[in-house]
Amino acid sequence: MPIADIFEKTEFSRNDIIQLLSVNGDDEKLLFKFAAKTKTESIGNTVYLRGLIELSNICSKDCMYCGIRKSNQDIKRYSLDVVEVLKAVQFAYDNKYGSIAIQSGEITSAAFVDKINTIILRSKEISNGEIGITLSCGEQSEETYRTWFESGAHRYLLRIESSTEELYYKIHPKDDTHNFQTRLNALKTLKKIGYQVGTGVMVGLPFQTIEHLADDLLFMKEFDVDMCGMGPYIEHKNTPLYQFKDSLMPLKDRFSLTMKMIAILRIMMKDINIVAATALQAIDKIGREKAIQVGANILMPNITPGKFRDSYALYENKPCTDENAEDCKSCIDVRVHLVNHKVGYSEWGDSLHFQKPI
Ligand code: SAH
Ligand code: SF4
C-alpha cells in the first residue's frame, strides 16, 4: 500500500508499522515530513529541556548491554554527593531549564532512597518549588516510588528495553533481579501513583527484528505512555553483548531506524513527549537535532559535573563527556533554532497527553 494511504488511517496495524519501518529513499522523506507536520499541528515547535544529572554509576544489575553493569570491573565507580547535585540543579534553575532529570544505576538501599528524596526536597526548595523533576533510577518498590512522588518528583522514565519477553531475556540475565514482569509491573505502579510515565527501547540490538520494534511501538500505544525515550543501541566492549558486534547493523542504519521509530511514534501518539536521546548524538553530531525535526520535543542536556562524565559510560563514544554544563548550554539554543524550533525556557513542558482529561 502507498505510505500516503497509511497516513490516512487513524490506527496503524502491525503490518502498517512494519512497512513504515522498512521505507527508505523518497518514502522515508515522506514519513519524516508527515511526522514533522503532525508534531507542529499537535504540540508546536517548542523544545523543552531536562538538565540531566547522572547521579551514580554504581549499579546492582547486570544488563548485558550496559557499560556500567555490576560485573564491569574496568570502571571507576562514583556517586555524586547532595551538594554536587544541588549545584547542578541551581545551574539548571539559573539557566531556565525548567526541569531536571536524575538518572542513576539501580540501587534500592534505604540510603539511596533517602538521598534521592533529599535531592527532590532540596531541589524544590532552592527553586521556589519551580523546577520540574524527572527520575530515572530503575525499578524500586511501590513505597519508594510513592515517597519520591509525594516529595515532588512527577515524571519517571523506565525503559522496557524490549516489549518482547523473549528478546528481553536475551539481553538480560535470566534471574530474579532482571525480570520482565517486574519491569512491566513497575511501569504500572508508576502510572497508578500518578507519575507521568515514560518508557522506551534500544534500537538495533542483537537479535532484534523489525517485527520486535513494531511490537514495541504498539506496546507504547497500548500502555498509553506519556513520554518516550528511544535511542540506538551502541555496543560497549566490557559487556556480554559485545560478542555479537559483527551481527549488528551499521551504526548509521541503527541511527536511521531510530529516526523512523520516533517519526512513527509521533504519528501514532501525537501529544506525548518524545526525547531526542543523547545516544543519537554519539553517532551523528547533529543527531538530536535531526530527531527534533522528525518528531522529538525534549532535550536532556548533560549538566553532570564534568569530571564524572567519563565514568557514566553506558556505551562507547558518549558525546560531550569532556565538557562542562556551560559548554553545552551555549550551543543548545543555537542548535534548536537551526532546526526552526524554540526552547521553552522556565517551562515544565509536561506531556500534553498526560494533561488531557480522561
Ligand atoms: N538504571 C536505570 C537508568 C540508567 S540506564 C535503568 O536502567 O532504567 C538508562 C538507559 O540507558 C537504559 O534504559 C538503556 O536503555 C540505556 N543504555 C544502557 N546501555 C546502553 C547501550 N549500550 N547503548 C544504548 N543505550 C544503552
Ligand atoms: Fe544498571 Fe540501568 Fe545499566 Fe541496567 S541499564 S546495568 S539497571 S544502569
Side-chain angles (χ1 to χ4, degrees), residues 56-70 77 103-107 136-139 161 172 177-178 183 202 312 314:
S56 171
N57 66 358
I58 302 170
C59 189
S60 59
K61 290 176 85 168
D62 242 341
C63 307
M64 282 150 67
Y65 41 83
C66 180
I68 66 171
R69 65 199 298 272
K70 182 174 81 176
R77 303 284 171 173
Q103 207 185 71
S104 177
E106 190 179 303
I107 305 285
S136 181
C137 301
E139 291 160 35
E161 315 296 1
H172 295 97
T177 38
H178 303 81
R183 197 142 184 106
M202 283 169 285
Y312 197 82
L314 304 170

Side-chain angles (χ1 to χ4, degrees), residues 173 237 239 355:
K237 66 176 180 322
T239 62
Q355 293 169 17

Side-chain angles (χ1 to χ4, degrees), residues 265-276:
L265 184 64
R266 173 56 71 203
I267 300 168
M268 291 170 71
M269 302 190 78
K270 298 181 177 21
D271 54 3
I272 63 167
N273 278 349
I274 303 181
V275 182

Side-chain angles (χ1 to χ4, degrees), residues 167 170-171 204-208 233 241-242 244-245 247-248:
L167 178 57
K170 284 189 174 151
I171 60 170
L205 286 161
F207 320 113
Q208 190 182 48
Y233 162 68
L241 289 192
Y242 194 69
F244 304 108
K245 67 176 192 317
S247 70
L248 300 172

Side-chain angles (χ1 to χ4, degrees), residues 183-229:
R183 197 142 184 106
L184 198 55
N185 288 340
L187 282 168
K188 289 180 184 159
T189 303
L190 288 163
K191 200 174 193 178
K192 183 178 79 182
I193 293 172
Y195 282 96
Q196 290 170 51
V197 180
T199 194
V201 296
M202 283 169 285
V203 180
L205 286 161
F207 320 113
Q208 190 182 48
T209 63
I210 290 285
E211 286 75 18
H212 289 134
L213 291 171
D215 288 337
D216 290 335
L217 293 178
L218 289 169
F219 168 80
M220 291 178 217
K221 175 91 182 168
E222 161 86 26
F223 192 85
D224 201 27
V225 293
D226 305 299
M227 318 180 288
C228 174

